[in-house]
């Protein structure tokens, strides 16, 4: 097994992710690693149960920056069986922080990254419009959209 060959065995993918997490543990702040570890455990539980859902990964303050980036790397390893992904900054249309996990080839291609950024921005803009419309409908119906 090398860094460039996808492996279809879920056990091998989890073993690769566990190995990667050991390297992260050696270099990450213990509190941040605890948050990352909790998120990974929750993700693997949801996957094993075939569920979709929200991750409860500690405080939002701790689940930021390097923790988010490392979480994305682990998800990519588990999903693809590859360890050669790169996490690139992919700010939202409003300038908010965001990331994308891409292959090394895409990471080195500014045009490909621009295309991904455009697709993400289009999707986020459309999603925001739908959310705004639903919130308006809820308010017009006398419902509190926060409930």
């Amino acid at each position: 097994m090398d860094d460039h060959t996808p492996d279809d065995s879920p056990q091998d993918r989890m073993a690769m992710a566990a190995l990667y997490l050991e390297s992260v543990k050696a270099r990450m702040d213990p509190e941040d690693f605890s948050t990352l570890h909790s998120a990974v455990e929750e993700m693997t539980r949801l996957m094993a149960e075939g569920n979709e859902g929200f991750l409860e990964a500690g405080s939002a303050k701790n689940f930021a920056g390097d923790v988010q980036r490392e979480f994305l790397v682990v998800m990519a390893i588990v999903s693809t069986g590859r360890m050669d992904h790169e996490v690139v900054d992919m700010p939202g249309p409003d300038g908010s922080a965001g990331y994308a996990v891409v292959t090394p080839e895409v990471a080195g291609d500014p045009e490909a990254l621009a295309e991904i950024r455009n697709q993400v921005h289009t999707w986020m803009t459309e999603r925001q419009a739908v959310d705004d419309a639903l919130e308006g409908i809820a308010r017009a119906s006398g419902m509190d959209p926060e409930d």
Side-chain angles (χ1 to χ4, degrees):
M1 163 177 29
D2 66 36
D3 287 351
H4 304 289
T5 305
D7 191 330
D8 289 331
S9 163
Q11 294 82 9
D12 286 342
R13 290 178 183 195
M14 292 306 295
M16 290 168 61
L19 179 64
Y20 181 78
L21 280 170
E22 283 301 315
S23 73
V24 173
K25 183 178 183 179
R27 58 185 159 77
M28 184 177 265
D29 172 78
E31 185 177 347
D32 288 344
F33 183 78
S34 178
T35 300
L36 172 64
H37 192 262
S38 294
V40 169
E41 283 183 333
E42 181 70 6
M43 174 198 67
T44 55
R45 183 188 65 76
L46 288 170
M47 289 172 60
E49 294 173 358
N51 294 322
E52 295 179 8
F54 294 97
L55 292 174
E56 297 293 333
S59 72
K61 174 184 75 90
N62 285 353
F63 196 72
D66 286 342
V67 176
Q68 286 180 353
R69 294 174 75 88
E70 295 297 355
F71 180 75
L72 291 171
V73 171
V74 172
M75 285 185 3
I77 292 168
V78 171
S79 299
T80 68
R82 293 176 55 151
M83 295 183 76
D84 63 337
H85 298 94
E86 293 187 33
V87 178
V88 296
D89 290 328
M90 190 69 56
D94 61 354
S96 60
Y99 308 102
V101 181
V102 299
T103 63
E105 298 80 20
V106 171
D109 183 346
E111 289 178 15
L113 289 174
E115 178 62 28
I116 292 170
R117 186 174 297 107
N118 289 338
Q119 290 173 0
V120 169
H121 287 192
T122 298
W123 179 84
M124 290 178 77
T125 301
E126 290 170 356
R127 177 60 195 238
Q128 186 61 50
V130 169
D131 289 349
D132 291 347
L134 291 173
E135 184 175 321
I137 292 168
R139 288 189 192 285
S141 301
M143 297 172 56
D144 182 357
E146 301 300 318
D147 287 344

